[in-house]
Amino acid sequence: GAVVSQHPSRVICKSGTSVKIECRSLDFQATTMFWYRQFPKQSLMLMATSNEGSKATYEQGVEKDKFLINHASLTLSTLTVTSAHPEDSSFYICSAYRDRGPETQYFGPGTRLLVL
Amino acid sequence: DQQVKQNSPSLSVQEGRISILNCDYTNSMFDYFLWYKKYPAEGPTFLISISSIKDKNEDGRFTVFLNKSAKHLSLHIVPSQPGDSAVYFCAARGDYKLSFGAGTTVTVRA
């Protein structure tokens, strides 16, 4: 099966600092990755689509200068939460797109961010 | 604008009985519908999917039904097992993106 990892799994940071989250597809190449966030007891909300070698596409209402996405290789996308604030505390999940079968998006295990 | 809705936040079912989870959508352009199982602080795990041109797909204990005219789909789990206790998300695919419902928490009682 397709494996996607995320690092770190949990991070606690002070307000005003920046945090980088990595998403890696371990056994396949992904030209497209997706970043989601999930608040407690709520749905997964798509934040942005990360495209290898080009700019990310952000969903409406997501600040691109706040959530910097870099997809520098076919197996790695990073999400940097800049100048984090307590309201950015959430569960961030990435997925990697693979055009094989109906599943197509393979999810990472998620990263819990807590901003103090 | 919530395009995918799961109106039941929770479901409790006895072990061995059937669990039925429901999902409604508004966008007729979705081409695939998927169900995911999720535990707290983990990523979603794919369970089963159905193409928009089908009305039923079965995989072991899991069956998904699609009613396109009603823009409604359901997931049947039978028999329910204690290990099925989790949050279940319905998702719809359009233009390679997934839109998720709010989830239904299933509790299987022994």
Side-chain angles (χ1 to χ4, degrees), chain A residues 68-80:
Chain A
L68 299 179
I69 291 173
N70 184 285
H71 195 153
S73 78
L74 288 171
T75 59
L76 173 63
S77 174
T78 60
L79 169 69
T80 301

Side-chain angles (χ1 to χ4, degrees), chain A residues 34 36 38 42-44 46 49 59 91 93 97 102-105 107-109, chain B residues 2 32 34 36 38 41-44 46 49 89 93 96-98 100-102:
Chain A
F34 300 91
Y36 298 82
Q38 183 190 22
Q42 293 190 27
S43 180
L44 281 73
L46 178 65
T49 303
E59 296 299 303
F91 191 61
I93 308 173
Y97 178 82
E103 186 177 352
T104 66
Q105 285 193 35
F107 287 86
Chain B
Q2 194 78 5
Y32 259 97
L34 306 92
Y36 291 86
K38 187 180 180 301
E42 293 186 12
F46 171 74
S49 67
F89 286 96
R93 193 181 79 174
Y96 303 104
K97 297 180 182 179
L98 293 178
F100 284 85

Side-chain angles (χ1 to χ4, degrees), chain A residues 26-40:
Chain A
L26 299 183
D27 52 359
F28 67 101
Q29 294 182 332
T31 56
T32 302
M33 292 184 174
F34 300 91
W35 286 96
Y36 298 82
R37 68 187 295 182
Q38 183 190 22
F39 291 107

Side-chain angles (χ1 to χ4, degrees), chain B residues 26-108:
Chain B
T26 57
N27 188 344
S28 58
M29 299 302 292
F30 289 136
D31 63 348
Y32 259 97
F33 302 90
L34 306 92
W35 285 94
Y36 291 86
K37 180 179 179 180
K38 187 180 180 301
Y39 295 109
E42 293 186 12
T45 301
F46 171 74
L47 281 176
I48 192 170
S49 67
I50 188 167
S51 164
S52 60
I53 62 173
K54 300 280 182 69
D55 55 18
K56 178 182 176 182
N57 187 28
E58 189 173 353
D59 184 2
R61 296 186 299 117
F62 303 93
T63 303
V64 57
F65 296 92
L66 175 63
N67 183 334
K68 281 193 71 176
S69 61
K71 293 191 175 68
H72 176 85
L73 65 154
S74 61
L75 173 68
H76 292 206
I77 306 173
V78 58
S80 299
Q81 300 173 352
D84 295 332
S85 295
V87 180
Y88 289 78
F89 286 96
C90 168
R93 193 181 79 174
D95 196 22
Y96 303 104
K97 297 180 182 179
L98 293 178
S99 298
F100 284 85
T104 298
T105 300
V106 173
T107 303
V108 181

